[in-house]
Amino acid sequence: MADPVVRSLHQTEPIKEIAIDYTPEACTHCADSNSITLTFDHRGGARWRSTTRFLYGTFSSLIQCPKGNTSGLNFNIYLSSLEGDKSQDEIDFEFLGKDKTIVQTNYYTTGTGNREEIHDLGFDCSEGFHEYVIKWGPDLIQWLIDGKVVRRAERNEGEGFPNKPMFLYASVWDASHIDKARWCGPYVGCDAPYVCLYKDIHVPFATAVECPCDS
């Protein structure tokens, strides 16, 4: 029988509210259908996040990535204690626009990452919806795609591991300036606007943490 504490840690519910960090006109949220749309065009991209942080739990979404030549763009879903904070904890799924048949996973502790892994999807992430799940606990992180675990990271004694309450984030942005365009490719933009679709987004039921800066 499953430990009831572990079971409650990973119970989820549909996300009810989001905050939009920038370019609100490029992000639409329909709570009734539990769907979010992000658009990248001449205005740039946009980023949404949950309105509360969570300390552990399961986070999931069905995602259909933008169609066309997306070279240079980064589209994602991830957890972060606070985007832009140099000491942030973070757990990522990141799609690299130069190749829509792969996804990158990574995690950060107190601002230190360098734990990137690339995974072959076996499909083009823009051709339909697929489920992406992050399961995060005190001693284990799992990344799942369509129900299959693609990566596990266990906490090792004496090493950092994400333990700060985190928001759920997603964004579409121009990453062509990173590493001289080697990471996501040079931005082309011939098929703009680029639309990333999220639906059936779920967050933990019982692990929300109220923080003074939550809004």
Side-chain angles (χ1 to χ4, degrees):
M1 180 180 290
D3 185 323
V5 174
V6 173
R7 189 168 61 245
S8 66
L9 187 71
H10 293 289
Q11 289 179 329
T12 66
E13 64 180 354
I15 195 167
K16 295 182 177 69
E17 295 181 89
I18 64 168
I20 303 171
D21 287 343
Y22 58 85
T23 326
E25 63 274 18
C27 179
T28 61
H29 173 222
C30 179
D32 289 343
S33 63
N34 191 8
S35 61
I36 301 171
T37 299
L38 287 174
T39 299
F40 185 95
D41 56 19
H42 63 280
R43 300 167 295 186
R47 182 174 69 218
W48 63 263
R49 62 173 173 84
S50 59
T51 56
T52 58
R53 290 183 174 96
F54 302 88
L55 184 59
Y56 309 126
T58 294
F59 306 79
S60 64
S61 180
L62 295 173
I63 304 174
Q64 181 172 4
C65 295
K67 295 181 178 293
N69 186 340
T70 55
S71 180
L73 297 182
N74 178 293
F75 15 100
N76 51 64
I77 191 163
Y78 64 102
L79 306 175
S80 175
S81 53
L82 185 63
E83 180 60 53
D85 182 353
K86 293 185 190 246
S87 63
Q88 69 182 356
D89 285 359
E90 185 172 317
I91 305 171
D92 303 331
F93 268 118
E94 295 189 273
F95 301 92
L96 314 181
K98 67 181 181 182
D99 186 347
K100 290 185 286 185
T101 66
I102 62 172
V103 69
Q104 176 181 288
T105 59
N106 195 9
Y107 69 96
Y108 290 72
T109 58
T110 59
T112 300
N114 301 317
R115 301 176 177 96
E116 298 92 343
E117 289 188 12
I118 297 291
H119 311 273
D120 289 321
L121 292 169
F123 54 81
D124 182 324
C125 63
S126 71
E127 290 184 349
F129 282 95
H130 294 270
E131 184 186 46
Y132 302 88
V133 178
I134 295 170
K135 295 185 73 171
W136 168 44
D139 301 304
L140 176 67
I141 305 166
Q142 296 182 86
W143 293 257
L144 298 89
I145 301 174
D146 292 335
K148 178 182 177 182
V149 176
V150 297
R151 181 178 181 182
R152 290 168 49 95
E154 297 183 13
R155 183 175 66 86
N156 295 317
E157 193 68 33
E159 295 183 7
F161 202 73
N163 63 2
K164 296 178 182 177
M166 293 199 270
F167 295 105
L168 177 66
Y169 282 93
S171 65
V172 180
W173 58 290
D174 180 358
S176 59
H177 62 286
I178 304 293
D179 194 23
K180 298 181 178 178
R182 285 188 286 264
W183 187 40
C184 291
Y187 180 66
V188 178
C190 60
D191 293 314
Y194 298 101
V195 179
C196 195
L197 304 173
Y198 301 81
K199 69 178 183 180
D200 199 20
I201 307 125
H202 280 69
V203 294
F205 176 74
T207 65
V209 177
E210 296 295 335
C211 298
C213 63
D214 290 353
S215 58

